[in-house]
Amino acid sequence: MNADATVVRTDVAGHEPELRELLHEYFLEANEQGRQWFDDEEFGADPEEIVAADLDRLASATIAEPLFLARRGGELVGSIQLKQLDETTAEVKRLYVRPSHRETGVGQALVETLISEARADGFETLRLGVAPYHEGARSLYRNLDFEFTAAYEETQAPAAIRDDWGFMKRSLAE
């Protein structure tokens, strides 16, 4: 990662406006990519609704600091979230790096920091779902020892697209 980028772990308080903007970008991009991938103009969710739901989930998370933010020169350039599924398992959510900062190590720094912090929190396993059109994220996760697996019960991926989605997990045992 470039020396001018930093990753911090935090809660959502005080970050809502800039996180709302970043997540809105994430969902606009994901909706467009999903429409192309599935050849379905109806694919996706209303970005405003899903961003609001994400911010509510983060504000009421069972994990004290579920949010990881990457900044460069004070600008928010990426984020990732950690969601507790049970006593030993957490879910990785919403890895997003602004396009102008991709392939600079920001995504890897976000995921590596999340892995380290999840391990310190006492989690034993990380799980995630990743869209078929997020090739860069899939590659990054594979490089960081995530393995493809069957869908997990708590996934929010709609049943209609689960066969196309990638579900991954990673042990945090050292």
Side-chain angles (χ1 to χ4, degrees):
M1 181 164 127
N2 293 350
D4 63 343
T6 57
V7 175
V8 295
R9 183 177 187 180
T10 187
D11 59 26
V12 73
H15 302 284
E16 294 96 336
E18 63 183 347
L19 184 59
R20 179 180 302 279
E21 180 182 327
L22 188 78
L23 289 172
H24 192 264
E25 289 175 25
Y26 170 90
F27 288 112
L28 284 175
E29 183 178 309
N31 283 348
E32 181 58 33
Q33 290 172 330
R35 286 182 194 110
Q36 291 174 9
W37 178 270
F38 292 106
D39 194 24
D40 179 358
E41 282 303 313
E42 301 298 314
F43 181 87
D46 180 302
E48 292 303 322
E49 288 179 19
I50 200 158
V51 167
D54 258 24
L55 292 173
D56 288 347
R57 179 179 46 77
L58 286 165
S60 63
T62 54
I63 296 173
E65 294 181 319
L67 182 61
F68 298 80
L69 302 175
R71 294 187 182 280
R72 241 193 204 128
E75 176 191 1
L76 181 61
V77 298
S79 70
I80 194 169
Q81 305 169 17
L82 186 64
K83 177 183 176 184
Q84 183 171 352
L85 297 179
D86 61 37
E87 292 297 314
T88 62
T89 308
E91 183 179 30
V92 178
K93 307 226 13 122
R94 314 283 192 250
L95 172 62
Y96 182 71
V97 175
R98 287 195 159 124
S100 61
H101 296 272
R102 291 180 186 162
E103 297 188 27
T104 64
V106 172
Q108 182 169 336
L110 282 162
V111 177
E112 286 176 343
T113 301
L114 181 142
I115 290 168
S116 176
E117 293 290 316
R119 185 180 286 124
D121 287 352
F123 290 109
E124 297 171 9
T125 305
L126 291 175
R127 299 188 71 95
L128 61 87
V130 61
Y133 42 84
H134 287 158
E135 296 92 357
R138 285 172 172 243
S139 177
L140 173 61
Y141 290 130
R142 279 194 308 271
N143 289 339
L144 294 174
D145 299 324
F146 282 82
E147 298 176 345
F148 283 100
T149 185
Y152 50 100
E153 185 176 321
E154 302 88 351
T155 184
Q156 293 176 319
I161 63 171
R162 286 188 187 170
D163 288 344
D164 293 303
W165 228 247
F167 298 95
M168 303 179 90
K169 72 177 182 178
R170 184 190 195 278
S171 170
L172 295 179
E174 294 194 71

